[in-house]
Amino acid sequence: MDHESDKCTGHVQVPQKVVSKVEVEGFLSRDEHEMALLGKKQQLRRNFGFVSIIGFSCTLMITWEGLLVVFTYGLGNGGPAGLVYGFLFCWLGYLSVVASMAELVSMAPTAGGQYHWVYLFAPPQWRIFLSYITGWQATIAWQAVVASGSFLTGTLIQGLIVLNYPNYVFERWHGTLLLYVIMIISLIFNTILARQLPNVERAMLVLHIIGFFAILIPLVVLAPHGSAHDVFAVFSNSGAFATQGVSFFVGLVTSVFAFVGADGAIHMCEEIKEASIVVPRSLIISITINGVLGLSMLLAVLFCIGNLDDALNTPTKYPFIEIFAQATGSNGGATGMTALVLLLTISCCIVLLAAASRMMWSFARDKGLPFSGFLNRVEPRTKLPLFSLGMTTVITLLLSLINIGSTEAFNALISLVNAGFLGSYFMPIVLLLWKRLRGDPINYGPWKLGKFGVPANIFALIWTIIAMFFSFWPVSMDPTLQTMNWACLLYGATMIFSIGFYFLRGRHIYKGPIIETSVVEHLQGA
């Protein structure tokens, strides 16, 4: 069926014969009504509600847990004060991005998210190309973050082993095998136990909050405390950059990574009841919860950091484990606290796989990927995109083999995470702002920013440009092959590949989000 579009509202139109039938027959639900307006039929099972999708979002971002894992990157460039102010800057930036995307998903609650919105809002002559490139950016970013999350979780287990068995030798292939275990667990929860995933996420939301206090309280009570001056007024520039300001921005990567995957709920919205209302609210609430918990944990760690040299040179390779050991005075206490973080990172891997597979499935549904006819299949009994789940798992397993030969090479691949996500956010927000400033009519959904829309969109774009630009910088002015940030090279290579693939093949197949011809039959119960 040909694509039809409303140039004024930016919404895909359902053909007139479909509208007339639907008006006569009526819709089964709000969700199916909105899916029909987007030309899509309901294929996945709507299991998630308001609380469960908040749990999904919070445990996907794992902001306070993630800060524990990566906060030392910001200590070198920025220092304690740079980490605090950088976190506040990134929290505000992500909040503006999320608020902008919340408005967009309320208009068009589809698992495709960013690439679908770009198609709806872009000028007709550019919409297919821009939508295609945005879809590739989002798909690659989600595949990279699954590999990144499972790798960090596997090596975190190795860190715990080193803490309790000092003679253990930290082997790269051990980390890869542990990654395999994490991915198998994630796949089980996304297939065999998929119906229980909303219940699991509700439980993980409780653990996410209670676990925060279970770590914060003993850390603050037992550890020695530094001064407020050391936390709020001490900056560092270990990368020897020209100015402290440049060093501060390079160190933002820590806080940017702490909120990675903020759009996860969007790609699950075809499995959420009343998605156009629930998803926007859950996005704002989850970024608020995680921001508060993340800032509190960051301040606690900076005040209770203890002997910094011991923490940075710990054989566990995770300084926060050494900080826990110093605070409690025992390996047992540190093990218990770290095990709680580990459990939440495993939960994160489970939902990362879920969101990444839905992004892949949605883009394949619209023929945006190679082997789309295979990847877009939904198993009729379980109503799960099993082939996209399987492909996402296989990609991570294959990528992890690189780690056996070189951890640096593997880290280079997963360095695409920040740039890929930020790049996929940029274009839909640009186009939304463009329509606002032109005064074009916009068919808003139930959730909208109103008079705050323009300033929120502008700040989101400024922040995204800054964060994306500095995500390509190395940690020092004279990087080695090991310390070089290869994200610029790999991001450029993936963009060249996606553009080249578009002109070679994609433009002949991808025509934007497909209007599925069986929408009316689906609504009639066929």
Side-chain angles (χ1 to χ4, degrees), residues 130-181:
L130 293 176
S131 171
Y132 187 81
I133 299 305
T134 302
W136 268 95
Q137 286 188 93
T139 301
I140 291 171
W142 276 105
Q143 295 302 310
V145 80
V146 173
S148 174
S150 53
F151 173 72
L152 288 173
T153 303
T155 53
L156 184 55
I157 296 173
Q158 286 184 285
L160 268 180
I161 297 172
V162 171
L163 177 67
N164 291 280
Y165 301 95
N167 293 327
Y168 169 73
V169 179
F170 218 105
E171 297 285 357
R172 288 192 298 269
W173 65 272
H174 293 176
T176 296
L177 288 179
L178 289 168
L179 180 150
Y180 276 42
V181 173

Side-chain angles (χ1 to χ4, degrees), residues 225-433:
H225 294 172
S227 67
H229 177 271
D230 291 339
V231 174
F232 297 109
V234 174
F235 294 86
S236 68
N237 182 7
S238 64
F241 291 101
T243 67
Q244 181 61 59
V246 173
S247 179
F248 167 82
F249 283 111
V250 171
L252 287 180
V253 64
T254 294
S255 298
V256 172
F257 188 80
F259 289 104
V260 151
D263 60 316
I266 292 169
H267 305 298
M268 301 295 293
C269 68
E270 293 181 34
E271 297 167 71
I272 301 169
K273 298 168 186 174
E274 298 191 334
S276 62
I277 298 173
V278 169
V279 174
R281 292 176 180 173
S282 70
L283 290 172
I284 299 298
I285 291 173
S286 61
I287 202 81
T288 302
I289 291 174
N290 273 24
V292 170
L293 299 184
L295 179 61
S296 301
M297 184 60 73
L298 177 62
L299 290 173
V301 169
L302 292 176
F303 271 105
C304 304
I305 201 166
N307 189 314
L308 181 58
D309 289 336
D310 287 347
L312 293 177
N313 296 312
T314 175
T316 67
K317 298 191 177 182
Y318 284 100
F320 81 91
I321 298 178
E322 178 63 26
I323 293 171
F324 288 171
Q326 291 180 23
T328 60
S330 72
N331 285 350
T335 298
M337 294 167 73
T338 306
L340 185 55
V341 175
L342 176 62
L343 179 59
L344 286 161
T345 58
I346 292 173
S347 173
C348 172
C349 292
I350 293 170
V351 294
L352 284 175
L353 177 59
S357 63
R358 271 50 168 198
M359 180 63 230
M360 175 182 284
W361 166 76
S362 180
F363 201 34
R365 177 177 59 178
D366 292 321
K367 299 184 179 180
L369 295 173
F371 312 110
S372 289
F374 171 75
L375 296 172
N376 68 6
R377 297 180 187 176
V378 175
E379 202 281 317
R381 184 179 60 85
T382 61
K383 296 187 182 298
L384 291 171
L386 294 181
F387 294 95
S388 289
L389 279 164
M391 181 59 71
T392 300
T393 303
V394 168
I395 288 173
T396 297
L397 298 182
L398 292 176
L399 287 176
S400 68
L401 294 175
I402 298 172
N403 179 60
I404 297 176
S406 170
T407 299
E408 289 76 19
F410 181 74
N411 285 334
L413 281 173
I414 62 179
S415 65
L416 285 168
V417 170
N418 283 350
F421 277 111
L422 295 171
S424 74
Y425 302 155
F426 184 78
M427 188 55 64
I429 299 176
V430 163
L431 293 170
L432 177 60
L433 177 63

